[in-house]
Amino acid sequence: MKRKIFTTVMLVSCFMVCLAAIADLNGKWVGKLVMGDGTEYPLLYNFKVDGDKLTGTALTPDGDVEIAGGKTDGTTFSFSVTTSGMDIPHTGKFYGDSTGIDLEINGSKIHSVLKRPEEKK
């Protein structure tokens, strides 16, 4: 009986730690997307986490657009951005000080690393 209680407490604790970690995904994240031909595009996201739901905006050539279908699961997340008539699925992993993100564009996955923008002093 003690073993079951201990195991349950440990599982709940791990779950709470994962939720606390993903909550730190809140806020602005910047990076750049480098295409196969070397063309670079700036990436800017503003994430808002509420439980397992991820909302926010992404900077696109069309301006700021709402992210859609956002969800989180521990330290992983996914969402979609629609710009220039294209739906671009995103998947990512939150590492604390950085975020790895994959964008699927025309059937190809492109990886980028996002970091928090440096504060101006």
Side-chain angles (χ1 to χ4, degrees), residues 85-97:
M86 293 185 347
D87 186 45
I88 304 172
H90 293 59
T91 55
K93 184 160 177 88
F94 175 65
Y95 296 103
D97 63 340

Side-chain angles (χ1 to χ4, degrees), residues 10-78:
M10 291 304 294
L11 287 172
V12 169
S13 295
C14 288
F15 179 73
M16 296 304 285
V17 167
C18 286
L19 284 179
I22 200 68
D24 288 338
L25 183 62
N26 282 311
K28 291 185 179 181
W29 292 87
V30 296
K32 62 182 172 181
L33 185 64
V34 181
M35 304 302 281
D37 64 359
T39 305
E40 294 183 5
Y41 295 97
L43 296 175
L44 174 63
Y45 300 94
N46 191 3
F47 295 131
K48 297 174 188 155
V49 177
D50 183 13
D52 64 351
K53 186 176 180 183
L54 176 65
T55 60
T57 59
L59 179 64
T60 72
D62 299 331
D64 282 339
V65 297
E66 296 289 323
I67 63 175
K71 56 186 172 183
T72 65
D73 180 16
T75 57
T76 61
F77 59 94
S78 63

